[in-house]
Amino acid sequence: MPDTPVRLALFDCDGTLVDSHANICRAMEQAFAGNGITAPSPEAIRGIVGLSLVEAVAVLAPGADAAFHHAVADDYKAAFQRMRADGALEAEPLYHGLVEALDRLAADDWVLGVATGKSDRGLAHVLAHHGLTDRFVTLQTADRHPSKPHPSMIRACMEQVGSTPDRTVMIGDTSYDMEMACAAGVRAIGVTWGYHDEALLRAAGAEAIVHRYADLCDAMKAEVTA
């Protein structure tokens, strides 16, 4: 670990870096249909984005048993893989201003990372598609950690790059991101262009709220001092 801990900015992926709601809904609809049950509404699916798959399905189908939850999660993965192989995935655009914000943070000596409920494969695909792979030093996913809001992903990021809770910020669009940040003892910044509204973000522990990427860097300067 360096003598002075680095300043670490961690980003969620879905709803924070990219808008992936359409693809998530399509894959979830196919997974539920394949198991004989009508899928929940897009609004309900929007609410679970950020959780790991089994946990997400459990929230969407609380009356079903664990076997059903695992079956739907497996079918969701298969549906996503089919969609990708068939070229049927809709574009998952970057949110406006992201690249400029990453440039500013890097110029200000922030180390960047991702903590996401996506799989390793899914995250790698998104970052490569948008030319962002080299922007992030640490990548932690649901493949190797408990679901959010467990703090495991944030702790692994800090350990990997040599940071500490007082010099780490978690940026995300859901209450799960904010709760994970609080559980890890790091600062939490909520963004309102994703899938949970400002009231949920604040209730879950967001210390700052930003409405556009152009305001993120200023909010982070207020959160973690040099």
Side-chain angles (χ1 to χ4, degrees):
M1 179 177 291
D3 292 337
T4 301
V6 303
R7 295 192 302 175
L8 175 61
L10 295 176
F11 291 80
D12 171 55
C13 184
D14 296 318
T16 302
L17 298 179
V18 298
D19 185 0
S20 49
H21 185 238
N23 288 329
I24 291 171
C25 282
R26 288 177 62 200
M28 196 65 77
E29 288 165 359
Q30 292 180 35
F32 269 83
N35 286 273
I37 294 180
T38 301
S41 68
E43 292 74 21
I45 295 172
R46 186 181 186 92
I48 55 80
V49 174
L51 293 175
S52 298
L53 271 176
V54 173
E55 288 77 6
V57 176
V59 172
L60 292 173
D65 60 20
F68 177 86
H69 297 156
H70 282 274
V72 172
D74 288 343
D75 286 353
Y76 175 94
K77 294 177 187 177
F80 227 101
Q81 291 168 6
R82 285 195 305 272
M83 288 160 58
R84 182 176 292 121
D86 294 342
L89 286 179
E90 294 189 23
E92 296 183 343
L94 297 178
Y95 286 103
H96 179 72
L98 168 64
V99 173
E100 293 80 3
L102 297 181
D103 287 342
R104 288 183 61 191
L105 290 172
D108 202 24
D109 295 325
W110 285 87
V111 173
L112 307 179
V114 178
T116 176
K118 273 191 178 301
S119 66
D120 286 334
R121 180 176 180 177
L123 177 60
H125 177 82
V126 166
L127 296 182
H129 177 75
H130 290 291
L132 297 177
T133 302
D134 294 336
R135 297 277 190 154
F136 299 100
V137 174
T138 178
L139 305 174
Q140 304 299 328
T141 76
D143 285 347
R144 286 166 283 116
H145 295 280
S147 178
K148 297 175 183 180
H150 193 284
S152 175
M153 283 191 277
I154 292 180
R155 290 172 177 167
C157 288
M158 290 191 293
E159 181 177 0
Q160 183 175 352
V161 306
S163 189
T164 52
D166 61 308
R167 295 176 69 83
T168 299
V169 177
M170 179 70 209
I171 301 116
D173 68 299
T174 71
S175 59
Y176 314 123
D177 299 313
M178 304 300 98
E179 291 168 0
M180 178 174 66
C182 293
V186 309
R187 300 300 182 101
I189 295 181
V191 303
T192 59
W193 51 78
Y195 304 144
H196 286 185
D197 63 26
E198 182 173 346
L200 279 175
L201 295 171
R202 290 194 181 279
E207 297 186 23
I209 298 291
V210 295
H211 303 288
R212 57 178 190 158
Y213 261 117
D215 298 327
L216 177 62
C217 297
D218 289 339
M220 289 175 65
K221 289 178 181 177
E223 296 299 314
V224 176
T225 62

